């Protein structure tokens, strides 16, 4: 149900991941989070990294905070977005060297950066019945939330996207694997919601990547059914978001050709969530009108106004223009301002990520002013802090 973003027109946030501080060199390396947190150097670096991420988001003036996906190991192209879950679920074992099941057209040819990224997607085999294991999402969220009074959302890979990276040696087919993973994640996410997490973001259904491309065995309708199994019961307890984008590993779009959301929107509209997020910055906002038309008014829409794929920091005026265009088809009480995807998958420095967050809130403030809405306090843009006059 809508709680965090209820009655908050133009709420601002980021998708999730942030670049790691350079001094954060410890990694989980397959350990349960709670075990790693008994090691002095990991605990100190992890908690200090959270403090840095929260400080940056506060100085940028964002409303809703992320833990920056600090649990993710420092590996190639954001492998650990898959790896964190894959290395902790029961029923998975060993490591498979292979490309995984992906609908991407970018990953088939040596000489392409995605070819090398996919080479490092070394993930376990599915060898038995899947169950929760040591995911410990509740621990991870609590350790973050206890460091700030601001609301911290929890985001994690969807079961159906995780399934694309696993080598299935146990279930009869992809559908059975996806459904088993969806049920398992559902139990973990319900425990997280029961522990008080106010906002859960499921990241990347496989729908927009596969509909019309690779949907013979796993149809759009099946992916909707599996996703809704994954989130079953959550909306009675917490606010549920579904994040979508066109790829992030090493800041890449995972397709060679431009892809569009349009064929997937009817499926997205059937997802049992409160908020849908869409890329709008990297695509120049050319599908904003479709989002407004295709998505039922009972759902809120979060648009990316900042690209995770470019190092050029957006101007606040560009951000404001994109928001003004979105407002022509989505009213302010339904519109959330975010980024196309996370900043932390080997794409950019902390400096870039920070000023992109500041551009997001400065641009949103321009529109808030026009609408008579209260503006965010952006400490980073306060001239009193400037060293040069
Ligand atoms: Zn994304």
């Amino acid at each position: 149900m809508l709680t965090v973003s209820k009655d908050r027109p133009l709420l601002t946030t980021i998708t999730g991941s942030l670049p790691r501080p350079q001094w954060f060199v410890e990694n989980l390396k397959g350990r349960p989070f709670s075990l790693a947190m008994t090691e002095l150097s990991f605990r100190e670096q992890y908690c200090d990294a959270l403090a840095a991420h929260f400080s940056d988001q506060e100085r940028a003036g964002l409303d809703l905070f992320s833990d920056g996906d600090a649990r993710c190991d420092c590996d190639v192209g954001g492998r650990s977005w898959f790896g964190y879950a894959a290395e902790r679920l029961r029923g998975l074992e060993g490591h498979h060297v292979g490309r995984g099941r992906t609908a991407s057209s970018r990953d088939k040819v040596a000489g392409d950066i995605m070819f090398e990224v996919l080479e490092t997607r070394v993930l376990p085999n599915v060898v038995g019945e899947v169950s929760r294991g040591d995911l410990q999402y509740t621990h991870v969220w609590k350790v973050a939330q206890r460091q700030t009074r601001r609301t911290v959302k929890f985001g994690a890979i969807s079961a159906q996207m995780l399934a694309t990276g696993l080598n299935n040696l146990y279930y009869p087919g992809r559908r059975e694997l996806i459904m088993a993973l969806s049920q398992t994640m559902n139990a973990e996410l319900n425990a997280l919601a029961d522990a008080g997490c106010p906002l859960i973001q499921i990241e990347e259904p496989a729908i927009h990547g596969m509909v019309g491309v690779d949907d013979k065995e796993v149809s759009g309708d099946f992916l909707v059914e599996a996703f809704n199994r994954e989130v079953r019961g959550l909306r009675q307890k917490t606010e549920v978001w579904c994040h979508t984008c066109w790829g992030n590993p090493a800041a890449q779009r995972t397709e060679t050709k431009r892809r569009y959301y349009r064929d997937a929107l009817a499926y997205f509209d059937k997802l049992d969530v409160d908020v849908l997020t869409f890329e709008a910055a990297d695509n120049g906002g050319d599908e904003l009108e479709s989002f407004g038309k295709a998505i039922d008014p009972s759902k809120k829409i979060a648009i990316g106004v900042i690209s995770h794929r470019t190092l050029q920091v957006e101007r606040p005026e560009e951000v404001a223009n994109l928001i003004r265009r979105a407002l022509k088809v989505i009213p302010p009480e339904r519109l959330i301002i975010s980024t196309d995807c996370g900043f932390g998958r080997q794409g950019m420095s902390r400096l870039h990520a920070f000023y992109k967050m500041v551009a997001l809130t400065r641009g949103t403030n321009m529109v808030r002013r026009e609408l008579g809405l209260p503006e965010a306090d952006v400490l980073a843009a306060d001239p009193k802090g400037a060293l040069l006059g």
Side-chain angles (χ1 to χ4, degrees):
M1 72 189 112
L2 287 172
T3 53
V4 175
S5 72
K6 190 173 191 285
D7 302 325
R8 297 286 303 273
L10 308 188
L11 177 100
T12 55
T13 190
I14 54 172
T15 299
S17 67
L18 285 168
R20 274 186 163 218
Q22 289 185 32
W23 42 259
F24 183 11
V25 294
E26 294 290 347
N27 288 287
L28 289 172
K29 291 193 185 295
R31 291 174 293 177
F33 177 74
S34 56
L35 179 62
M37 286 290 279
T38 67
E39 182 189 272
L40 188 57
S41 56
F42 181 88
R43 187 184 185 89
E44 188 168 299
Q45 289 181 21
Y46 184 85
C47 293
D48 289 357
L50 287 178
H53 290 330
F54 293 150
S55 166
D56 284 354
Q57 289 172 82
E58 181 159 0
R59 289 188 301 133
L62 290 166
D63 296 318
L64 170 62
F65 283 9
S66 157
D67 70 356
D69 285 5
R71 68 184 179 278
C72 285
D73 282 359
C74 187
D75 52 16
V76 177
R79 169 195 173 275
S80 54
W81 181 60
F82 287 85
Y84 181 87
E87 289 168 354
R88 285 163 184 81
L89 290 170
R90 280 207 194 93
L92 275 59
E93 225 176 72
H95 289 96
H96 171 71
V97 180
R99 195 181 286 122
R101 181 76 178 236
T102 137
S104 165
S105 52
R106 260 297 287 272
D107 55 13
K108 309 291 193 289
V109 186
D112 190 295
I113 183 173
M114 281 301 294
F115 195 76
E116 182 163 337
V117 165
L118 268 292
E119 184 180 284
T120 66
R121 288 285 164 76
V122 180
L123 294 165
N125 301 300
V126 185
V127 296
E129 198 169 319
V130 171
S131 64
R132 279 168 67 187
D134 279 318
L135 282 180
Q136 299 187 347
Y137 284 171
T138 299
H139 279 60
V140 174
W141 171 72
K142 280 197 170 186
V143 167
Q145 185 62 82
R146 73 190 186 190
Q147 283 196 209
T148 176
R149 288 285 179 200
R150 308 289 281 274
T151 301
V152 180
K153 66 175 172 177
F154 184 88
I157 188 170
S158 72
Q160 51 195 258
M161 183 54 71
L162 178 60
T164 65
L166 300 178
N167 185 38
N168 178 19
L169 302 176
Y170 178 76
Y171 291 96
R174 294 170 71 202
R175 293 167 64 102
E176 290 81 2
L177 172 62
I178 289 173
M179 205 44 96
L181 287 167
S182 300
Q183 287 168 15
T184 300
M185 290 304 189
N186 179 256
E188 183 71 24
L189 296 169
N190 267 286
L192 174 65
D194 290 337
C197 181
L199 199 158
I200 296 176
Q201 173 175 283
I202 318 297
E203 294 167 355
E204 283 299 333
I207 295 168
H208 50 310
M210 291 191 170
V211 167
V213 178
D214 178 16
D215 55 5
K216 284 190 185 71
E217 186 184 354
V218 178
S219 66
D221 284 330
F222 173 77
L223 292 173
V224 169
E225 183 192 337
F227 189 96
N228 286 345
R229 181 66 187 85
E230 183 171 4
V231 297
R232 187 186 289 174
L234 291 181
R235 286 177 78 196
Q236 289 142 37
K237 306 171 190 171
T238 187
E239 183 165 320
V240 183
W241 291 26
C242 169
H243 164 77
T244 78
C245 73
W246 293 107
N248 195 333
Q252 296 303 293
R253 195 182 297 114
T254 52
E255 302 293 332
T256 48
K257 280 189 299 208
R258 168 76 200 278
R259 296 277 303 280
Y260 293 88
Y261 281 113
R262 56 193 172 218
D263 294 338
L265 292 176
Y267 296 103
F268 285 147
D269 197 38
K270 290 187 228 164
L271 298 182
D272 186 14
V273 299
D274 300 296
V275 175
L276 287 164
T277 85
F278 296 108
E279 280 198 20
D282 203 46
N283 301 332
D286 63 356
E287 288 196 274
L288 286 171
E289 201 159 293
S290 311
F291 306 153
K293 276 190 191 142
I295 304 304
D296 189 84
S298 60
K299 287 183 173 66
K300 292 185 82 154
I301 295 173
I303 57 161
V305 296
I306 299 285
S307 173
H308 57 291
R309 299 201 185 94
T310 63
L311 295 181
Q312 185 69 28
V313 175
E314 288 80 356
R315 296 291 310 149
E317 294 80 7
E318 289 174 68
V319 170
N321 278 336
L322 204 48
I323 297 172
R324 289 186 197 108
R325 281 172 54 201
L327 285 172
K328 291 195 173 124
V329 286
I330 307 161
E333 56 275 12
R334 274 187 72 208
L335 188 64
I336 292 170
I337 310 302
S338 186
T339 58
D340 277 357
C341 193
F343 296 145
R345 311 267 186 250
Q346 232 192 338
M348 66 180 74
S349 70
R350 289 183 69 195
L351 187 75
H352 289 96
F354 178 67
Y355 280 98
K356 277 176 174 270
M357 293 193 286
V358 174
L360 187 156
T361 50
R362 287 178 70 200
T364 306
N365 271 352
M366 292 168 76
V367 180
R368 285 168 167 155
R369 214 171 301 146
E370 291 160 13
L371 297 176
L373 295 169
E375 291 176 50
D377 179 15
V378 185
L379 180 58
D382 187 334
K384 290 199 285 291
L387 297 184
L388 305 177

